[in-house]
Amino acid sequence: IGLTLIAVLWFRNMLADPPRRLAWDKRVLGMRWVGDLVAKIETARLSRTLGTLLTNGVPLLSALSIARNVIGNTVMKQDVQDTAREVKTGGGLARNLDREGRFPRLALQMISVGEETGKLDEMLMKVSDTYDQEVRNTIDRLLSVFTPVVTLLLAVMIGTIVLSVLMAILSINELVA
């Protein structure tokens, strides 16, 4: 337990250093299933916040700088910051978010449609609803795979305990006889 606590504290301390945090977040996004899940979670957060701000009349540039703060992944946060700079000079939101390829394609296509139709706030809310549902489905799938693995591990642990108790009983019987 002590080693685990020390490892967790060391890891948290390591992530407090911005360059290490950036490298870690980049590595997480590159992971097979985890990276996809993190991208979906961050996209849902950004879309919901940005959509809510735009619906309530906040200008896009201000909304981007506010919504950037809800993103936990520093790499994606940096992408949104770069996008805000490009939007300030007249670039489109979806096209600039797509530059690094970290945001999901469907979300970018929906944002692009929202920009073209002039209903960006409504489309951002639809993006957030879509990705909230996808995150729920992905987590449910991961848990459905995780449950048998945990059951198997518990069976092995219980079997080991039962065997050790039986071995102790058998060794006592041999000493008595």
Side-chain angles (χ1 to χ4, degrees):
I1 295 175
L3 287 175
T4 304
L5 182 62
I6 289 171
V8 167
L9 290 175
W10 173 80
F11 189 71
R12 286 186 65 198
N13 189 32
M14 184 189 79
L15 290 182
D17 183 34
R20 287 183 178 170
R21 176 65 187 251
L22 189 65
W24 172 256
D25 285 345
K26 196 172 207 175
R27 184 177 300 145
V28 166
L29 285 175
M31 291 178 184
R32 189 175 185 137
W33 292 308
V34 176
D36 185 44
L37 181 62
V38 168
K40 287 177 183 178
I41 290 170
E42 298 296 0
T43 300
R45 280 183 189 165
L46 176 68
S47 301
R48 172 119 17 238
T49 305
L50 198 55
T52 302
L53 290 169
L54 291 175
T55 300
N56 290 313
V58 178
L60 181 60
L61 288 174
S62 300
L64 277 171
S65 65
I66 293 169
R68 178 177 60 93
N69 295 324
V70 301
I71 297 177
N73 187 289
T74 54
V75 175
M76 293 180 82
K77 185 182 284 191
Q78 198 171 32
D79 287 348
V80 172
Q81 186 175 2
D82 295 343
T83 297
R85 267 196 300 272
E86 292 297 321
V87 167
K88 189 175 188 178
T89 62
L93 179 63
R95 186 180 35 181
N96 287 304
L97 283 175
D98 190 27
R99 266 187 306 151
E100 297 296 326
R102 292 189 181 99
F103 288 90
R105 300 288 301 149
L106 176 63
L108 295 171
Q109 290 170 354
M110 290 173 74
I111 291 170
S112 179
V113 167
E115 284 179 310
E116 290 172 9
T117 61
K119 297 186 178 190
L120 182 60
D121 53 345
E122 292 175 22
M123 197 55 77
L124 284 166
M125 297 307 280
K126 287 181 183 178
V127 168
S128 67
D129 291 339
T130 301
Y131 279 97
D132 281 338
Q133 186 61 42
E134 279 204 32
V135 165
R136 262 186 245 112
N137 292 342
T138 303
I139 289 174
D140 287 344
R141 280 193 304 264
L142 288 174
L143 287 176
S144 69
V145 169
F146 186 66
T147 303
V149 171
V150 169
T151 304
L152 203 61
L153 287 174
L154 284 174
V156 168
M157 287 173 46
I158 291 170
T160 304
I161 292 170
V162 168
L163 275 174
S164 66
V165 169
L166 285 175
M167 294 299 286
I169 292 171
L170 288 175
S171 67
I172 290 174
N173 273 346
E174 287 177 8
L175 291 175
V176 172

